């Protein structure tokens, strides 16, 4: 190929912009008072009012979205921001959209426009915010469920708790479509929990999988190389296997998902913030719930029980985990009507630190 | 949606590729209820008449319904990238393309958002136009690692979509064993608790190391997150290999008149129960005249009292960040939180931010050279021990790094006296500064 031809087909080289400068998009009041804010309050659920040291004020209206948005939805939100807001928006880490305005008089019409188009206003203060979640069947290559559907079902159930601030403290819920848990830690976490070892397609392993890497990936050393029907493959010691699914991403012929064996587990008491208590991981409370698409009613029922036991019993400012720390796990299982089993007792590395090494007991 | 029926007719008449609409009885059930429905959005794209993605979204809905029926996913990975980069595109090829051929390729472009997630409507509309031309019309704001996810692109359109986004100032994010897209909280832009310039730190660190993002060569992923205070709104301690959490070193500021006003409006019992008694280190006391006494040496900067009485209380002036290293999710050893490695990193002048970038470089160089394949830095530290890690990156031990000193006697201590002398020497140097 001649040089001229090479130049002709050579694609455009990227401009390595990296993280874009946000100041070109930031609301002018936020830009002007950058680093100089004084205090804030919340005039009503879903609305924040921030006051700068300069005396400038900005009101933020927060609304829930479906996260995975079609261009029609995004343009509609832009229309609302242009008509009733000031053309500047931002998103929270939980996929809520925020509209900033410099005049409180604009807030009621903004809220009306959002509500009229089906966007709930809320997610502030001691409310249930949008569930942070993963990709699911829509796009992931290893999903056990469809987080978007689980989230839609749960947010329908908790709509009132998003639009009101009636919880003891903020409630941060997460959903993950596999045990890698991309959804993260939560006051309540709804995560896939596999219940059966992988089913291996031995015809494909040798061609698709880098076998030593798959062996190395197993957290309990249950996978070893094997010849199966004369073909190099892998085998799983099913007595050791903890059904975590770690082998599935590097070796898709080791199918971990099954229409009935992929279940849902619910965990509670995870917390990111350092406020009062240190950050915590969530703890298992229920496993083996059916992966019952499209509405997951069994999951919804358990989440409802936990959420309202917390709402009815926790003290103001206690997060889910802090509430349980006070009342104890026996009372938690009693108040929620859930079962405590041998599977709640940790057996992983460091498990001993999770036992009760004292004579402290609750009756 | 009132226009949906009309649009469906238009879709069938206008776009030759749309064969019959796939029935979606399962997905249809996710259109009822008060929360915005992603299914309604997907259908709107399917029913968009002559749009280039209408047929693709019909088959995408068909495949998704197929997943809902069989409770299984049908995407596999592969290799798709843009010219000059090794990562940033998540390839997705359908395993059921025989049934749903139009969505056989449905790749995602991970795109880094503006720090702090600020947008103008003009910018969002430009992104919609680009994605309407080259992609599926479906955009997730945002993914769990902070990217804008432009979901659903044919292989032949990936370069075109990227070029268009790149022309308006946007760049791909991270994927695979690489530096990943980062997140920072709203911080300085709107929050009185913000203790450092998150935008400056976020952009300074990430933009210095873009080569590590665009051309993956690390043992495994490496994530930064920037939170302006210990409320940690971007979940850095749990989710980041390198968490930068704003804090302050001097005394918190107390406006006693505002404290009195708070007690007057909320009541003394409420204030004691919900502010004073909730201090995790018993560092607060309410005086008889309803002013507040703070034991600043015992305060752990947890933020509770500042959050609750944000008009009366404020962080001090000697500000910077606490740095925790090693947070990650389950694979392979189980979840790890970051642990404190730098109790206080001053972040005030430009020079401080340059030093943060250099510290980030040191940590990533350690990671690149010492982590095993598919090992996160928190696992590396667990494997070699925190003291070995500290020595490797040139950080002296500090009691803030531990919950309590070791309880195990299995340690060789024959150089203990020398190490103790180094500690006292450091203390003398700090006192002299």
């Amino acid at each position: 190929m001649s040089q001229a031809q090479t130049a002709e087909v050579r694609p455009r080289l990227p401009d390595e912009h990296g993280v874009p400068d946000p100041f070109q998009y930031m609301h002018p009041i936020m830009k002007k008072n950058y680093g100089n804010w004084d205090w804030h309050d919340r005039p009503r659920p879903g609305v924040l009012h921030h006051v700068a040291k300069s005396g400038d004020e900005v009101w933020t209206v927060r609304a829930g979205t479906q996260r995975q948005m079609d261009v029609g939805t995004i343009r509609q939100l832009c229309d609302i921001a242009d008509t009733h807001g000031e053309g500047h928006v931002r998103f929270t880490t939980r996929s809520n959209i925020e509209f900033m305005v410099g005049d409180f008089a604009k807030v009621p019409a903004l809220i009306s426009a959002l509500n009229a188009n089906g966007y709930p206003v809320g997610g502030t203060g001691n409310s249930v915010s949008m569930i942070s979640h993963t990709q699911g069947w829509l796009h992931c290559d290893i999903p056990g469920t469809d987080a978007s559907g689980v989230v839609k079902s749960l947010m329908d159930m908790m709509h009132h708790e998003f639009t009101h601030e009636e919880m003891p403290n903020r409630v941060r819920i997460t959903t993950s479509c596999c045990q890698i848990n991309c959804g993260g830690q939560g006051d309540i976490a709804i995560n896939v929990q596999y219940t059966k070892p992988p089913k291996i397609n031995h015809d494909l392993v040798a061609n698709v999988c880098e076998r030593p890497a798959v062996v190395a990936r197993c957290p309990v050393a249950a996978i070893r190389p094997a010849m199966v029907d004369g073909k190099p493959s892998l085998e799983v010691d099913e007595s050791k296997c903890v059904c975590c699914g770690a082998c599935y991403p590097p070796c898709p012929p080791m199918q971990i998902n099954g229409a009935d064996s992929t279940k849902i587990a619910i965990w509670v008491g995870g917390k990111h913030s350092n406020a009062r208590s240190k950050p915590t991981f969530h703890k298992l409370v229920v496993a083996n719930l059916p992966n019952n698409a499209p509405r997951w009613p069994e999951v919804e029922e358990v989440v409802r029980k936990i959420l309202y036991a917390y709402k009815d019993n926790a003290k103001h400012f206690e997060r889910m985990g802090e509430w349980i720390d006070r009342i104890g796990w026996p009372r938690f299982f009693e108040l929620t009507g859930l079962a405590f089993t041998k599977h709640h007792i940790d057996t992983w590395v460091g498990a001993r630190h999770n036992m009760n090494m004292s004579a402290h007991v609750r009756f | 949606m009132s226009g949906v029926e009309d649009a469906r007719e238009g879709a069938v008449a206008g776009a030759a590729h749309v064969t019959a609409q796939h029935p979606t009885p399962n997905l249809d059930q996710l259109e009822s209820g008060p929360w915005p429905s992603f299914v309604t959005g997907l259908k709107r794209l399917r029913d968009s008449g002559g749009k280039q993605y209408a047929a693709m979204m019909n088959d995408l809905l068909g495949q998704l319904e197929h997943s809902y029926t069989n409770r299984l996913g049908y995407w596999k990975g592969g290799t798709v990238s843009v010219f000059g980069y090794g990562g940033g595109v998540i390839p997705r090829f359908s395993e059921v393309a025989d049934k749903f051929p139009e969505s056989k390729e449905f790749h995602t472009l991970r795109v880094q958002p503006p720090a702090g997630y600020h947008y103008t409507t003009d910018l969002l509309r430009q992104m919609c136009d680009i994605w309407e031309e080259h992609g599926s019309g479906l955009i997730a704001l945002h993914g769990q690692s902070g990217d804008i996810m432009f979901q659903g692109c044919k292989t032949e359109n990936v370069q075109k979509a990227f070029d268009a986004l790149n022309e308006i100032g946007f760049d791909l994010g991270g994927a695979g064993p690489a530096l990943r897209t980062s997140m920072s909280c709203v911080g300085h832009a709107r929050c009185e608790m913000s203790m450092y310039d998150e935008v400056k730190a976020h952009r300074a660190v990430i933009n210095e190391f873009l080569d590590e993002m665009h051309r993956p060569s690390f043992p495994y992923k490496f994530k930064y997150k920037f939170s302006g205070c210990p409320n940690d709104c971007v979940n850095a301690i749990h989710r980041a290999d390198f968490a930068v959490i704003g804090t302050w070193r001097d005394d918190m500021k107390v406006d006693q008149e505002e404290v009195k006003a708070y007690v007057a409006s909320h009541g003394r019992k409420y204030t004691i129960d919900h502010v004073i008694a909730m201090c995790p280190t018993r560092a607060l006391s309410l005086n008889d005249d309803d002013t507040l006494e703070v034991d600043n040496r015992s305060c752990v900067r947890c933020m509770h009292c500042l959050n609750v009485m944000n008009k009366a209380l404020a962080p001090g002036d000697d500000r910077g960040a606490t740095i925790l290293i090693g947070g990650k999710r389950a694979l392979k050893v189980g979840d790890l939180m970051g642990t404190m490695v730098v109790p206080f990193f001053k972040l005030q002048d430009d020079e401080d931010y340059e030093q943060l970038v250099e510290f980030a470089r040191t940590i990533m160089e350690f990671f690149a050279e010492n982590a095993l394949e598919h090992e996160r830095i928190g696992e590396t530290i667990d494997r070699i021990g925190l003291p070995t890690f500290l020595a490797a990156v040139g950080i002296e031990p500090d009691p803030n790094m531990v919950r309590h000193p070791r309880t195990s006697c299995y340690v060789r201590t024959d150089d203990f006296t020398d190490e103790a002398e180094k500690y006292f020497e450091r203390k003398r140097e700090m006192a002299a500064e």
Side-chain angles (χ1 to χ4, degrees):
Chain A
M1 199 183 278
S2 77
Q3 274 192 338
Q5 277 172 319
T6 311
E8 214 168 282
V9 298
R10 187 178 172 82
R12 173 184 170 280
L13 272 169
D15 290 323
E16 303 207 21
H17 300 293
V19 188
D21 179 353
F23 291 102
Q24 55 192 317
Y25 312 119
M26 197 181 286
H27 190 285
I29 297 174
M30 295 163 84
K31 191 172 164 181
K32 181 191 161 201
N33 295 285
Y34 191 78
N36 288 297
W37 293 93
D38 194 11
W39 59 276
H40 80 276
D41 59 9
R42 300 188 307 278
R44 53 152 283 174
V47 180
L48 307 169
H49 166 229
H50 286 87
V51 181
K53 287 174 183 160
S54 66
D56 288 352
E57 297 169 273
V58 71
W59 284 266
T60 301
V61 176
R62 184 180 290 176
T65 74
Q66 63 271 51
R67 188 179 88 135
Q68 256 119 217
M69 289 180 274
D70 62 298
V71 289
T73 296
I74 296 173
R75 285 175 179 146
Q76 187 178 52
L77 290 164
C78 288
D79 289 344
I80 293 170
D82 288 338
T83 309
H84 301 285
E86 294 171 356
H88 296 267
V89 298
R90 65 175 298 275
F91 289 85
T92 71
T93 49
R94 312 189 80 79
S95 300
N96 299 308
I97 187 169
E98 295 185 333
F99 301 79
M100 277 67 65
V101 292
D103 181 0
F104 184 65
K106 294 180 180 175
V107 169
L110 183 49
I111 292 173
S112 301
L114 285 163
N115 286 338
N117 287 287
Y119 302 102
V121 170
T124 53
N126 294 347
S127 65
V128 176
S129 189
M130 168 61 167
I131 300 175
S132 77
H133 69 95
T134 49
Q135 300 267 41
W137 290 326
L138 180 73
H139 198 260
C140 185
D141 57 340
I142 54 171
T145 190
D146 195 46
S148 304
V150 178
V151 168
K152 162 68 177 154
S153 303
L154 289 172
M155 290 313 294
D156 281 343
M157 183 267 282
M158 299 186 294
H159 186 263
H160 176 90
E161 306 302 346
F162 180 87
T163 56
H164 294 74
E165 297 180 354
E166 296 172 354
M167 285 289 155
N169 200 338
R170 59 190 63 200
V171 180
R172 296 292 180 257
I173 303 181
T174 64
T175 300
S176 290
C177 303
C178 80
Q179 289 181 220
I180 294 172
N181 188 20
C182 296
Q185 297 286 324
D187 291 287
I188 304 176
I190 298 103
N191 295 350
V192 154
Q193 183 83 14
Y194 310 112
T195 59
K196 299 289 181 209
K199 289 198 178 94
I200 307 174
N201 184 340
H202 294 288
D203 293 334
L204 297 179
V205 170
N207 287 333
V208 177
C209 314
E210 192 186 333
R211 293 189 302 150
V214 182
V215 170
R217 201 69 66 88
C218 179
V220 293
I223 304 174
R224 57 195 169 219
M227 293 294 283
V228 180
D229 297 333
K231 286 178 237 142
S233 187
L234 294 163
E235 67 181 9
V236 172
D237 180 344
E238 297 198 354
S239 64
K240 276 184 175 177
C241 178
V242 289
C243 313
C244 70
C247 51
Y248 181 47
C251 188
M254 299 181 76
Q255 175 61 267
I256 189 71
N257 284 300
D260 296 315
S261 62
T262 296
K263 303 286 191 185
I264 309 261
I266 296 183
W267 309 64
V268 304
K271 170 174 172 288
H272 296 294
S273 160
N274 292 265
R276 300 167 306 284
S277 53
K278 291 180 179 179
T280 49
F281 289 132
H282 51 228
K283 292 94 183 165
L284 177 73
V285 290
V286 184
N288 230 22
L289 295 171
N291 188 17
N292 200 356
R295 277 285 179 177
W296 293 270
E298 298 83 359
V299 168
E300 184 184 319
E301 186 53 33
V302 174
V303 170
R304 186 200 306 272
K305 274 187 197 169
I306 294 168
L307 188 70
Y308 287 99
Y310 166 70
K311 185 179 182 180
D312 293 344
N313 291 281
K315 292 182 179 173
H316 195 184
F317 291 123
E318 280 179 339
R319 289 284 290 268
M320 180 80 66
E322 294 170 318
W323 164 60
I324 300 168
D325 274 351
R326 175 170 60 82
I327 64 168
W329 287 100
R331 184 99 179 109
F332 171 83
F333 282 97
E334 191 181 302
L335 284 169
T336 53
L338 302 171
F340 184 82
T341 72
K342 67 177 182 180
H343 296 299
H344 293 96
I345 302 173
D346 199 347
T347 50
W348 192 243
V349 178
R352 201 156 222 290
H353 294 286
N354 296 333
M355 306 307 152
N356 182 2
M357 293 174 280
S358 78
H360 291 196
V361 59
R362 289 177 170 92
F363 299 108
Chain B
M1 289 300 297
S2 56
V4 166
E5 286 306 316
D6 297 342
R8 274 184 195 168
E9 284 163 24
V12 176
H17 294 302
V18 180
T19 50
Q21 227 175 59
H22 297 289
T24 52
N26 278 297
L27 295 173
D28 295 349
Q29 295 179 54
L30 288 168
E31 290 194 273
S32 59
W35 194 259
S37 170
F38 70 101
V39 173
T40 303
L42 295 175
K43 287 188 177 178
R44 206 176 290 139
L45 295 170
R46 175 196 66 185
D47 301 337
S48 56
K51 298 293 184 193
Q52 54 84 16
Y53 47 72
M56 178 198 237
M57 296 311 282
N58 181 38
D59 275 2
L60 187 273
L61 275 159
Q63 174 167 335
L64 190 57
E65 176 69 22
H66 188 60
S67 281
Y68 268 71
T69 305
N70 296 344
R71 299 181 189 177
L72 286 171
Y74 295 101
W75 298 107
K76 60 186 174 192
T79 309
V80 176
S81 57
V82 299
F83 185 73
Y85 286 178
V89 179
I90 309 298
R92 288 294 176 256
F93 296 93
S94 174
E95 293 174 328
V96 285
D98 55 327
K99 293 188 187 71
F100 311 104
E102 292 294 332
S103 56
K104 67 179 177 187
E105 296 163 355
F106 202 75
H107 315 310
T108 282
L109 276 72
R110 286 186 179 168
V111 171
Q112 295 184 73
Y117 295 132
H118 300 272
Y119 296 87
T120 56
T121 51
D122 179 55
L123 172 62
L124 287 172
R125 288 180 203 279
Q126 284 182 60
M127 289 179 164
C128 288
D129 292 346
I130 290 169
W131 201 234
E132 189 148 64
E133 187 180 348
H134 301 295
S136 69
L138 184 68
I139 306 175
L141 295 157
H142 298 86
Q144 289 301 318
S145 52
D147 292 285
I148 312 167
M149 295 191 297
F150 290 86
Q151 295 181 307
C153 193
K154 293 175 182 169
T155 309
E156 64 181 33
N157 286 345
V158 166
Q159 185 72 46
K160 293 175 207 162
F162 169 70
D163 286 346
L165 289 163
N166 196 225
E167 291 288 346
I168 63 165
F170 284 76
D171 199 358
L172 289 186
L179 172 64
R180 295 300 189 88
T181 300
S182 178
M183 291 163 96
S184 49
C185 65
V186 67
H188 262 32
R190 202 188 55 199
C191 182
E192 67 271 18
M193 302 304 179
S194 166
M195 243 81 70
Y196 68 94
D197 184 339
E198 301 84 1
V199 167
K200 190 172 183 167
H202 179 169
R203 297 190 71 226
V205 171
I206 301 301
N207 289 352
E208 174 70 15
F209 302 108
L210 289 173
D211 197 39
E212 302 297 346
M213 180 177 291
H214 294 143
R215 285 161 283 271
S217 62
F218 276 160
Y220 199 20
K221 60 184 88 169
F222 196 92
K223 298 183 178 182
Y224 288 84
K225 292 199 194 307
F226 300 88
S227 278
C229 83
N231 285 318
D232 194 4
C233 288
V234 296
N235 311 335
I237 293 175
H238 281 104
R239 308 189 69 131
D241 297 278
F242 191 116
V244 184
I245 312 277
T247 194
W248 73 99
R249 201 158 46 167
D250 54 345
D251 292 355
M252 75 164 77
K253 294 179 191 169
V254 182
D255 181 333
Q256 297 291 7
E257 291 311 309
E258 285 291 347
V259 173
K260 287 184 196 171
Y262 184 91
V263 177
S265 68
H266 290 76
R268 196 169 289 135
K269 177 178 165 56
Y270 181 92
T271 307
I272 291 169
D273 285 351
H274 296 93
V275 184
I276 309 297
M278 284 192 157
C279 173
T281 52
R282 303 185 295 280
L284 299 178
S285 177
L286 192 68
N287 295 320
D288 288 341
D289 63 353
D290 290 342
T291 58
L292 188 70
E293 191 178 303
V294 182
D295 172 6
N296 278 284
R297 295 301 301 271
S298 298
C299 168
V300 288
R301 280 70 178 157
C302 88
M303 300 302 293
H304 175 72
C305 62
L306 283 85
N307 291 341
V308 177
M309 301 174 72
N310 76 75
K311 245 175 149 172
L313 307 178
D317 290 321
D318 186 10
R319 297 177 176 195
T322 293
I323 296 174
L324 294 90
I325 305 285
K328 60 173 279 294
R329 290 280 59 74
L331 289 179
K332 154 183 172 177
V333 303
D335 298 58
L336 301 179
M337 283 189 222
T339 72
M340 191 175 288
V341 165
V342 182
F344 188 79
F345 200 112
K346 183 80 178 167
L347 285 174
Q348 196 163 31
D349 306 331
D350 286 349
E351 207 175 283
D352 300 329
Y353 288 83
E354 285 162 21
Q355 283 186 9
L356 179 68
V357 172
E358 288 317 302
F359 181 64
R361 188 191 310 279
T362 302
I363 299 296
M364 280 194 293
E365 281 176 358
F366 167 86
F367 175 62
E369 284 165 21
N370 294 285
L372 303 175
E373 193 200 335
H374 213 260
E375 185 179 65
R376 297 283 287 270
I377 194 169
E379 295 167 295
T380 314
I381 294 171
D382 275 6
R383 178 165 57 81
I384 64 174
L386 186 62
T388 308
F389 171 74
L390 295 176
V393 297
I395 296 176
E396 302 298 343
D398 185 298
N400 275 308
M401 294 171 182
V402 297
R403 194 150 58 104
H404 53 67
R406 76 160 59 236
T407 57
S408 162
C409 66
Y410 297 146
V411 57
R412 181 170 165 175
T413 56
D414 48 0
D415 63 346
F416 186 92
T417 310
D418 297 338
E419 291 296 318
E421 183 46 45
K422 286 185 204 165
Y423 171 83
F424 291 124
E425 180 60 30
R426 288 198 301 276
K427 283 293 206 189
R428 281 192 291 273
E429 280 171 14
M430 280 167 64
E433 272 175 16

